[in-house]
C-alpha cells in the first residue's frame, strides 16, 4: 500500500516536473511607460544662411507642435552628441543617438529655389529614423512656395505624429472662433476669426458690428457655418473661407441656432423654433437641395445636435425628462434613447470624429466641466473642472478637445487631451470663445 | 475494503492528474522527451561546462570539502544517456525509496523492541500512541522521499550553481523564477513608450519571440503576432531593443534562452 502511494506520488512529482520543464518563458506585458516619447529633431541642413535659418525655423515649429501634444519630449539640441556637419556627411550614427536616450531622430535638409518668379520655392526633405532598429520610419519631400513654410512644417509634424502614434495628426489645421474685443461702446464686439492650431496666421472674417455666435467648421471643406444677427434676426450663414462668399441658410421664423455639419459635409443639423410657439426642435437640411426635415417632435427643448462619424446617429440635448440631458437618435429622428443619467445638467454634446466618445459640458454644484462619455453611456469621465467651461470641439483625429474657459471677465480658448492631461491655453490676441476645429488641410 | 477503495481512488486521482499534466509525454516519442531531457539534464551538462570554466576561480576563491564529495553521485547520474535519464531518475529514486524503507523497517523493529516494554504497563494508552506513531512516520517518510527526489534535482542545480548558494528547496527556486520574470517584465515595460489613450488598445495584441545571448543581448527577434498597427508593433520592438542587456540571471540562461513577450489588451 505505502509503496503504491509512494510510487504514485513520485510519478506525479516527476510528471509535474516535466510539465514545468516544458514551459517556455512567457511574459505578459501590461503596463508601459506613460511618459512622453523622447525624440530628437536635428536642425534641417542648408547651404546658405537663409536656408539654415529656414531649416531652424521649420524644426522649431515641428518641435513646438510635438511638444504641445504632451505625447512627445523633444530632446534639447545641446544634448546631441553628433555634430551637424557629421550628420550631413554620414547620416545619423545611431550608437550616439542611443546614448542620449532618444527613440527616434529626424534629419533633413532645406533648399530655397529662386527661379526668378515672384515667389521663391521651398524644398524640404526629411527622414525620421528608429534609433534602435536603425531603420527609416518615415520620410518625405515637400515642395511649396516659401511663404507657406509653416504649412510644410505642420505637414511634417503630422507625418511624424502619425508614424509614432498610429493616429492622424492635427497640426495642419485651423481653428475658427469668436474673438471678443472692447468696442468702446460699453459692450464687447464679437468677430468671427480664424487661426492655425498653434496660433499663427490669425485673421478676422467679420468686422464686429453684428453679434456672431457658434461657428462650426465643415468636416470636409473650408467652409464655416455660423449664427449671426446681421439681418437683426438670428440667422445661420454659410461662409466659404476660400472664396469669401457668404449666404443665409434658409430664413426661418424665430431662432435659428446650434448648427452642425454631417460628417460628409452635405447636410447640416440645426435648431429652429419656427411654427411651434418658440419651442426649439431639431431639423436637418440637405445643403444641395436646401430641403428641410424635422427630426424631433416633443414639447421639451431639443437642441445642440451633433452627428456620429458614420452619419447614422445624432446626439442632442433635451430637457424632456425634467432637466437637460443627452439623448441619441437615428439620423431620421427615430429610436430616441437617453444617454446620460448622472447628476447635474448636460449640454453641448459633440461626437468625436474617432467615434468612441462624446464630449459634453456638465453643470454640477455650480461648476462647469468638460466631460466625455462613450456612446453606450457606460463610462463617463470629467476632464476639466472650473467655474465656466463651455463649447467643446474635437480635433479632427478625435484626440484633443478645444473649449472656452471663462476666468473672471476674460474668456480664453484651451485644449485638453482626452486622457485629461496636458491642458493648455491657446495664444489668442484677444478674448476668444466658441472654438471649432477644422479638418486636416491638404 | 477501505484499502481497496482508497487504492483505486488514489490511482484514479493519479491517473486524472497525470492526464491533466500531460503525461503522454512518455508516449510521445522524441521531441518532448528530448525537450524534457534538455532541461533536466542540461543542468548537469551546464554544470559540466561551467565546472570546466569555473573550477579554477572557485578553487582560488574558496574550497569547500563537502561540495566536492557529492561529485561522484553526479557522475553516476550523468553517465546514463539523455534518453534513459528520466527512467534512471525514477529507478534511483525507487532505489532510495527501497533503501529508506529498509531503514524504516529497521527503525520499526527497533521501535517494536522498544515498544515491547510499555504494553506490559497499560494497554489503553498503548493503542493510541501506536497508531499515531504508525501514521506519523509514513507521512514523514513520504515527505522525506519527496524531498529526496527533489534534492536529487537540487543537487544538479546546486552543482550548476557551484558554491554560491547553499541549500534551496524546489519551491524557492520556483519563486526566484517568478521574480526573475517580474524583473524582466518591469525592465521592458519601463522602456516601452506607448502613447496613452490609443483607440482600441483593449483589442490589440502583440507577441514577440526573442532569442537571447548569454550576455543579455538579442540574438534574434521575431514578431510572431502583429497587432495590425505598425506603430504599435514597432514601439514594442523598440522597447525590447532598448532593454538590452536584458536582465537575465546568468545561472538560468537555459531557461531564458527564448522569451515570448505578449501583450493582450
Amino acid at each position: 500500500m505505502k509503496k503504491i502511494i509512494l510510487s504514485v506520488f513520485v510519478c506525479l512529482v516527476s510528471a509535474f516536473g516535466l510539465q514545468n520543464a516544458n514551459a517556455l518563458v512567457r511574459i505578459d506585458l501590461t503596463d508601459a511607460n506613460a511618459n512622453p516619447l523622447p525624440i530628437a529633431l536635428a536642425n534641417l541642413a542648408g547651404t546658405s544662411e537663409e536656408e539654415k535659418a529656414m531649416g531652424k525655423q521649420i524644426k522649431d515649429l515641428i518641435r513646438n507642435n510635438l511638444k504641445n501634444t504632451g505625447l512627445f519630449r523633444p530632446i534639447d539640441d545641446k544634448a546631441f552628441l553628433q555634430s551637424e556637419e557629421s550628420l550631413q556627411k554620414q547620416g545619423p550614427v545611431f550608437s550616439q543617438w542611443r546614448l542620449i536616450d532618444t527613440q527616434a531622430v529626424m534629419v533633413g535638409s532645406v533648399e530655397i529655389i529662386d527661379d526668378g518668379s515672384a515667389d521663391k520655392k521651398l524644398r524640404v526633405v526629411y527622414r525620421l529614423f528608429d534609433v534602435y532598429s536603425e531603420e527609416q520610419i518615415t520620410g518625405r519631400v515637400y515642395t511649396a512656395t516659401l511663404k507657406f513654410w509653416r504649412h510644410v512644417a505642420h505637414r511634417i509634424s503630422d507625418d511624424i505624429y502619425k508614424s509614432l502614434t498610429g493616429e492622424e495628426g492635427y497640426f495642419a489645421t485651423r481653428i475658427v472662433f469668436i474673438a471678443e474685443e472692447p468696442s468702446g461702446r460699453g459692450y464687447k464686439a464679437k468677430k468671427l476669426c480664424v487661426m492655425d492650431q498653434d496660433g499663427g496666421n490669425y485673421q478676422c472674417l467679420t468686422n464686429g458690428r453684428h453679434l456672431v455666435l457658434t461657428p462650426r467648421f465643415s468636416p470636409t471643406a473650408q467652409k464655416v457655418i455660423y449664427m449671426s444677427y446681421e439681418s437683426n434676426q438670428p440667422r445661420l450663414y454659410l461662409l466659404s473661407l476660400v472664396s469669401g462668399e457668404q449666404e443665409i441658410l434658409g430664413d426661418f421664423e424665430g431662432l435659428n441656432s446650434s448648427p452642425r455639419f454631417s460628417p460628409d459635409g452635405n447636410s447640416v443639423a440645426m435648431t429652429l423654433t419656427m411654427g411651434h410657439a418658440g419651442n426649439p426642435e431639431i431639423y436637418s437640411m440637405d445643403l444641395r437641395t436646401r430641403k428641410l426635415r424635422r427630426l424631433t417632435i416633443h414639447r421639451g427643448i431639443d437642441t445642440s445636435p451633433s452627428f456620429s462619424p458614420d452619419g447614422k446617429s445624432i446626439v442632442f440635448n433635451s430637457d424632456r425628462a425634467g432637466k437637460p440631458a443627452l439623448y441619441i437618435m437615428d439620423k431620421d429622428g427615430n429610436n430616441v434613447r437617453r444617454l446620460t443619467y448622472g447628476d447635474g445638467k448636460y449640454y453641448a454634446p459633440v461626437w468625436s470624429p474617432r467615434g468612441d466618445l462624446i464630449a459634453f459640458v456638465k453643470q454640477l454644484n455650480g461648476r462647469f466641466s468638460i466631460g466625455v462619455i462613450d456612446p453606450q453611456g457606460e463610462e463617463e469621465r470629467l476632464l476639466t473642472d472650473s467655474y465656466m467651461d463651455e463649447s467643446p470641439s474635437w480635433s479632427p483625429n478625435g484626440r484633443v478637445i478645444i473649449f472656452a474657459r471663462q476666468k473672471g471677465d476674460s474668456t480664453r480658448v484651451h485644449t485638453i487631451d482626452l486622457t485629461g492631461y496636458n491642458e493648455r491655453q491657446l495664444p489668442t490676441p484677444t478674448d476668444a470663445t466658441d472654438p471649432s476645429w477644422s479638418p486636416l488641410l491638404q | 475494503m477501505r484499502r481497496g477503495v482508497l487504492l483505486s481512488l488514489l490511482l484514479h486521482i493519479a491517473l486524472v492528474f497525470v492526464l491533466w499534466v500531460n503525461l503522454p509525454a512518455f508516449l510521445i516519442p522524441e521531441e518532448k522527451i528530448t525537450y524534457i531531457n534538455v532541461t533536466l539534464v542540461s543542468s548537469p551538462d551546464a554544470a559540466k561546462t561551467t565546472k570546466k570554466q569555473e573550477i579554477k576561480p572557485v578553487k582560488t576563491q574558496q574550497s569547500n570539502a563537502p561540495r566536492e564529495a557529492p561529485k561522484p553521485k553526479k557522475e553516476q547520474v550523468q553517465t546514463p544517456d539523455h534518453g534513459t535519464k528520466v527512467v534512471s531518475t525514477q529507478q534511483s529514486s525507487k532505489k532510495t525509496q527501497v533503501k529508506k524503507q529498509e531503514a524504516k523497517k529497521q527503525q520499526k523493529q527497533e521501535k517494536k523492541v522498544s515498544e515491547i516494554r510499555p504494553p506490559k504497563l497499560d494497554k489503553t494508552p498503548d493503542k493510541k500512541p501506536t497508531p499515531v506513531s504508525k501514521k506519523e512516520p509514513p507521512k514523514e517518510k513520504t515527505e522525506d522521499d519527496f524531498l529526496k527526489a527533489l534534492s536529487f534535482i537540487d543537487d544538479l542545480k546546486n552543482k550548476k550553481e557551484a558554491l554560491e548558494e547553499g541549500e534551496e528547496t524546489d519551491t524557492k527556486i520556483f519563486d526566484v523564477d517568478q521574480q526573475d520574470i517580474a524583473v524582466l517584465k518591469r525592465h521592458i515595460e519601463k522602456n516601452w513608450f506607448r502613447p496613452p489613450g490609443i483607440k482600441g488598445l483593449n483589442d490589440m495584441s502583440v507577441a514577440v519571440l526573442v532569442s537571447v545571448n548569454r550576455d543579455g543581448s538579442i540574438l534574434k527577434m521575431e514578431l510572431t503576432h502583429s497587432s495590425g498597427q505598425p506603430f504599435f508593433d514597432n514601439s514594442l520592438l523598440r522597447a525590447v531593443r532598448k532593454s538590452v542587456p536584458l536582465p537575465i540571471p546568468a545561472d538560468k540562461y537555459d531557461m531564458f534562452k527564448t522569451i515570448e513577450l505578449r501583450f493582450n489588451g
Side-chain angles (χ1 to χ4, degrees):
Chain A
M1 178 66 184
K2 286 168 193 165
K3 280 185 185 177
I4 293 168
I5 294 177
L6 280 177
S7 55
V8 165
F9 208 72
V10 167
C11 272
L12 292 183
V13 167
S14 59
F16 201 64
L18 296 179
Q19 175 75 0
N20 271 352
N22 271 336
L24 164 78
V25 174
R26 188 171 278 164
I27 301 177
D28 281 305
L29 302 170
T30 48
D31 297 331
N33 193 331
N35 290 326
L37 181 120
I39 186 169
L41 305 165
N43 278 331
L44 299 174
T47 46
S48 68
E49 284 306 311
E50 191 188 8
E51 286 173 351
K52 280 180 183 167
M54 180 51 67
K56 188 175 184 310
Q57 253 181 323
I58 292 175
K59 185 220 60 176
D60 285 344
L61 205 146
I62 296 170
R63 179 192 168 87
N64 188 44
N65 276 340
L66 294 178
K67 191 178 167 211
N68 286 343
T69 62
L71 301 179
F72 296 90
R73 178 171 62 83
I75 293 170
D76 197 317
D77 298 10
K78 289 170 194 157
F80 294 174
L81 298 175
Q82 195 178 6
S83 67
E84 287 184 29
E85 295 76 35
S86 152
L87 252 183
Q88 283 176 48
K89 278 180 194 163
Q90 48 182 324
V93 178
F94 294 108
S95 57
Q96 295 193 5
W97 292 101
R98 278 196 289 268
L99 278 179
I100 62 169
D101 221 25
T102 183
Q103 296 257 314
V105 58
M106 184 199 78
V107 298
S109 63
V110 170
E111 202 180 337
I112 294 174
I113 305 157
D114 192 354
D115 56 359
S117 60
D119 289 322
K120 288 181 184 174
K121 292 277 191 311
L122 175 70
R123 185 171 183 273
V124 182
V125 185
Y126 82 93
R127 294 169 195 279
L128 183 71
F129 290 99
D130 184 327
V131 166
Y132 289 94
S133 71
E134 308 193 351
E135 284 167 3
Q136 180 176 318
I137 300 172
T138 182
R140 272 192 187 163
V141 184
Y142 284 102
T143 313
T145 325
L146 184 58
K147 65 179 178 184
F148 293 130
W149 67 271
R150 289 180 64 91
H151 184 64
V152 171
H154 287 317
R155 292 287 293 273
I156 296 174
S157 309
D158 281 329
D159 291 346
I160 294 175
Y161 184 90
K162 189 181 180 186
S163 66
L164 292 175
T165 67
E167 291 173 332
E168 293 291 338
Y170 56 87
F171 304 113
T173 55
R174 297 208 272 178
I175 289 162
V176 65
F177 60 96
I178 304 296
E180 295 182 341
E181 294 173 9
S183 65
R185 275 174 284 177
Y187 61 90
K188 283 178 176 174
K190 298 203 174 193
K191 292 179 181 175
L192 182 67
C193 297
V194 66
M195 66 181 186
D196 289 353
Q197 53 77 29
D198 61 348
N201 288 333
Y202 175 89
Q203 57 171 315
C204 287
L205 308 171
T206 63
N207 55 19
R209 253 182 276 161
H210 311 284
L211 181 63
V212 285
L213 287 167
T214 63
R216 310 280 190 236
F217 241 112
S218 159
T220 53
Q222 289 299 303
K223 287 182 178 174
V224 173
I225 191 168
Y226 68 101
M227 181 181 164
S228 170
Y229 282 75
E230 195 171 329
S231 59
N232 291 325
Q233 295 290 329
R235 294 289 177 264
L236 295 177
Y237 290 78
L238 183 66
L239 172 67
S240 167
L241 294 184
V242 182
S243 64
E245 284 173 9
Q246 177 172 302
E247 54 181 322
I248 291 189
L249 262 194
D251 190 3
F252 310 108
E253 174 212 333
L255 187 73
N256 299 185
S257 67
S258 67
R260 191 84 69 173
F261 281 96
S262 68
D264 59 8
N266 289 334
S267 57
V268 174
M270 60 180 85
T271 309
L272 303 176
T273 58
M274 63 166 187
H276 18 84
N279 176 23
E281 297 287 357
I282 292 168
Y283 288 75
S284 75
M285 175 192 275
D286 189 314
L287 284 180
R288 292 165 298 189
T289 62
R290 298 294 158 101
K291 211 174 149 189
L292 208 58
R293 176 173 185 170
R294 184 170 175 178
L295 301 181
T296 58
I297 301 171
H298 199 281
R299 66 175 184 282
I301 294 171
D302 300 318
T303 184
S304 305
S306 172
F307 282 93
S308 66
D310 61 7
K312 288 178 183 166
S313 312
I314 295 172
V315 62
F316 66 100
N317 168 280
S318 174
D319 69 348
R320 57 183 64 187
K323 63 179 180 183
L326 305 186
Y327 296 78
I328 294 177
M329 63 183 171
D330 295 348
K331 66 172 177 183
D332 55 5
N334 292 325
N335 194 15
V336 177
R337 52 211 184 269
R338 186 167 175 179
L339 178 67
T340 59
Y341 289 92
D343 291 340
K345 298 170 180 173
Y346 295 80
Y347 302 101
V350 200
W351 213 310
S352 153
R354 217 160 82 161
D356 57 342
L357 291 170
I358 293 166
F360 55 81
V361 177
K362 183 172 185 173
Q363 182 193 1
L364 181 64
N365 300 331
R367 296 179 75 82
F368 288 79
S369 306
I370 304 292
V372 290
I373 189 166
D374 59 317
Q376 289 74 40
E378 283 161 4
E379 197 188 331
E380 177 185 322
R381 260 186 308 137
L382 295 183
L383 306 181
T384 70
D385 176 39
S386 117
Y387 287 105
M388 193 64 205
D389 284 351
E390 57 180 1
S391 313
S393 170
W394 288 96
S395 66
N397 66 352
R399 175 80 212 195
V400 181
I401 297 171
I402 189 168
F403 61 97
R405 168 170 291 175
Q406 188 181 340
K407 224 181 220 176
D409 57 356
S410 158
T411 307
R412 293 286 171 155
V413 173
H414 293 245
T415 58
I416 192 162
D417 192 84
L418 62 78
T419 54
Y421 292 99
N422 195 33
E423 187 183 311
R424 291 175 54 244
Q425 182 182 322
L426 282 193
T428 48
T430 62
D431 278 7
T433 62
D434 285 350
S436 175
W437 218 310
S438 85
L440 212 52
L441 305 178
Q442 294 305 319
Chain B
M1 263 300 281
R2 277 191 180 179
R3 278 196 170 185
V5 171
L6 234 163
L7 208 154
S8 70
L9 225 158
L10 251 169
L11 284 173
H12 271 92
I13 293 173
L15 187 74
V16 168
F17 189 81
V18 159
L19 285 176
W20 174 62
V21 137
N22 234 346
L23 190 72
F26 285 135
L27 309 174
I28 296 166
E30 293 145 23
E31 286 187 24
K32 281 205 172 176
I33 286 175
T34 48
Y35 204 29
I36 290 155
N37 285 330
V38 168
T39 39
L40 264 183
V41 173
S42 66
S43 40
D45 284 346
K48 276 182 186 173
T49 55
T50 49
K51 269 176 207 165
K52 283 172 190 171
Q53 296 167 345
E54 291 177 1
I55 277 177
K56 292 170 188 174
V58 164
K59 279 181 179 175
T60 53
Q61 289 169 359
Q62 291 176 347
S63 61
N64 282 355
R67 311 263 164 160
E68 290 173 358
K71 279 176 186 172
K73 287 179 188 174
K74 296 170 192 171
E75 287 167 7
Q76 287 174 1
V77 177
Q78 288 164 3
T79 43
D81 285 326
H82 298 291
T84 56
K85 270 203 172 175
V86 175
V87 184
S88 73
T89 55
Q90 289 177 350
Q91 284 175 349
S92 58
S93 60
K94 280 177 186 171
K95 284 175 190 171
T96 54
Q97 289 164 18
V98 173
K99 284 176 187 173
K100 283 171 199 168
Q101 286 166 356
E102 287 174 359
K104 289 168 198 168
K105 282 176 187 173
Q106 288 176 357
Q107 288 175 359
K108 281 178 192 171
Q109 286 172 357
E110 290 172 3
K111 283 176 185 172
K112 281 175 186 173
V113 175
S114 61
E115 287 167 4
I116 291 169
R117 292 170 189 170
K120 290 176 183 175
L121 302 171
D122 270 322
K123 288 180 181 177
T124 46
D126 285 357
K127 284 178 182 176
K128 287 175 185 174
T130 44
V132 171
S133 63
K134 277 177 187 173
K135 280 177 185 174
E136 283 178 356
K139 279 182 185 173
E140 289 172 5
K141 282 167 198 167
T142 53
E143 283 175 358
D144 285 344
D145 287 318
F146 183 64
L147 285 176
K148 278 193 179 177
L150 294 176
S151 69
F152 198 77
I153 301 164
D154 272 349
D155 282 343
L156 303 180
K157 287 186 175 171
N158 286 338
K159 285 169 195 170
K160 190 176 66 178
E161 289 169 6
L163 307 175
E164 294 171 2
E165 293 180 17
E167 295 170 2
E168 275 191 344
T169 61
D170 201 23
T171 50
K172 269 186 187 172
I173 288 169
F174 194 69
D175 284 346
V176 170
D177 286 348
Q178 287 302 317
Q179 208 181 342
D180 293 336
I181 287 173
V183 167
L184 202 53
K185 176 176 183 283
R186 249 176 283 134
H187 183 70
I188 293 168
E189 283 178 348
K190 192 183 70 195
N191 288 322
W192 189 11
F193 286 88
R194 187 177 77 200
I198 299 169
K199 187 193 176 188
L201 180 68
N202 292 342
D203 302 324
M204 283 202 201
S205 60
V206 193
V208 178
L209 204 62
V210 189
S211 303
V212 189
N213 288 320
R214 210 169 268 278
D215 62 354
S217 61
I218 297 167
L219 178 68
K220 207 177 81 183
M221 183 155 66
E222 188 190 352
L223 192 73
T224 49
H225 177 77
S226 168
S227 66
Q229 298 264 30
F231 90 92
F232 196 73
D233 299 345
N234 289 337
S235 72
L236 180 55
L237 296 178
R238 257 202 309 278
V240 180
R241 291 198 178 99
K242 187 177 181 344
S243 303
V244 170
L246 294 163
I248 286 168
D251 52 341
K252 290 170 200 159
Y253 169 68
D254 289 326
M255 209 180 289
F256 287 87
K257 206 150 55 178
T258 48
I259 306 168
E260 189 186 38
L261 299 168
R262 300 189 304 184
F263 172 81
N264 284 312

